[in-house]
Amino acid sequence: MIKNDDFRNGAGKYDLAMFDPPFKMWEDIKWMPDARTYCCFTNFQNRGYVEDLFGRPKFELIWHFKDGRWVSHKMPRLTHEHILIYGELRNEAYTGEHNANRNPVKKGRGCIGSDKNLGERVYTPRGRKMLNSVLEVPRNVGKELGVWGKPEGIARPIMEWLCVGGDRVWDGFAGSGTFGVVADELGLKYEGYEIDPENCRKANERISRAKSNLSLYK
């Protein structure tokens, strides 16, 4: 569940740390928990603060949403956010939809960005499709925290990729509780922190409802 407490009070070793603060807070964040892997949500204005704290990311995902937001007449409409991944990538990234057809297919001989001939190759599809680096998921406008709440559709494939069942997940800015809902669904040990008492209460209620609904289908 989520504690009504400061994010810096997390203790111990975590398998995954989810950083999703209000983006303007990144400038003041100088602390991170001890974790195997870190997942940081940000935008182009505050990306530099994330890299000041964590360094160069191991991988980057782009969250693309067609329901974008207007910022200025002199700038394009914003329809994406950055998701920066740090630390270990210990799991294969096959978290997409299930493959109905797993028949082997021939691949080309070329290599992207090189003129090297790789010879005859055959690809046998896995049980699920590979996670894409650009995730197209609508925003959560109108949900528990308006535009601040993350949709489960953006959290689920990322947490499924970076965790295995029983992993310990830290969520320092729990907000509406999305990461907690997904963690329960995936069988993860979730530890959330939310400084606002009313948001904390609502998020815990949401997680409890989701957990009750999940138990009905087990």
Side-chain angles (χ1 to χ4, degrees):
M1 299 297 281
I2 299 171
K3 301 177 183 178
N4 179 209
D5 203 351
D6 187 271
F7 73 96
R8 289 165 291 195
N9 290 328
K13 174 76 174 180
Y14 300 91
D15 295 287
L16 175 63
M18 300 291 286
F19 268 93
D20 184 28
F23 294 157
K24 64 182 180 181
M25 284 187 62
W26 272 116
E27 182 177 5
D28 299 318
I29 294 176
K30 309 298 181 185
W31 179 90
M32 65 181 78
D34 182 8
R36 183 198 304 266
T37 307
Y38 301 86
C39 176
C40 304
F41 289 78
T42 188
N43 58 3
F44 76 93
Q45 296 102 320
N46 295 281
R47 178 184 180 131
Y49 299 122
V50 182
E51 294 189 354
D52 287 344
L53 181 63
F54 288 95
R56 185 176 180 180
K58 181 68 67 69
F59 193 78
E60 176 178 359
L61 297 166
I62 295 295
W63 173 22
H64 169 57
F65 37 83
K66 293 182 180 179
D67 50 334
R69 57 184 181 271
W70 179 91
V71 176
S72 166
H73 289 296
K74 295 184 178 181
M75 293 168 51
R77 192 170 65 98
L78 295 182
T79 60
H80 78 283
E81 290 180 6
H82 303 259
I83 306 171
L84 308 182
I85 310 296
Y86 296 87
E88 294 185 27
L89 301 180
R90 59 191 173 123
N91 303 322
E92 294 185 338
Y94 293 91
T95 66
E97 61 187 82
H98 291 270
N99 269 319
N101 184 354
R102 298 184 62 187
N103 295 326
V105 293
K106 290 185 178 180
K107 293 182 63 67
R109 300 182 180 184
C111 176
I112 295 177
S114 171
D115 59 1
K116 183 178 180 180
N117 187 334
L118 299 178
E120 295 291 341
R121 295 179 297 162
V122 174
Y123 173 69
T124 302
R126 302 289 186 91
R128 297 179 67 177
K129 294 184 178 179
M130 181 166 268
L131 181 67
N132 289 327
S133 61
V134 177
L135 305 177
E136 297 189 34
V137 180
R139 292 187 299 161
N140 242 356
V141 177
K143 299 297 183 180
E144 286 83 352
L145 290 182
V147 298
W148 294 109
K150 289 295 183 292
E152 293 174 26
I154 197 69
R156 187 176 293 107
I158 296 172
M159 296 175 70
E160 194 172 9
W161 166 37
L162 299 176
C163 294
V164 296
D167 274 1
R168 191 180 182 201
V169 176
W170 174 93
D171 177 14
F173 304 87
S176 64
T178 294
F179 299 148
V181 170
V182 174
D184 279 344
E185 178 186 323
L186 298 178
L188 308 175
K189 298 174 182 177
Y190 173 78
E191 186 175 307
Y193 294 82
E194 172 54 48
I195 198 68
D196 184 282
E198 183 62 12
N199 288 342
C200 183
R201 181 187 66 79
K202 290 180 179 179
N204 277 322
E205 289 179 352
R206 178 187 175 195
I207 292 172
S208 295
R209 288 195 304 270
K211 187 177 296 186
S212 296
N213 291 335
L214 186 62
S215 66
L216 293 176
Y217 295 97
K218 286 186 175 180

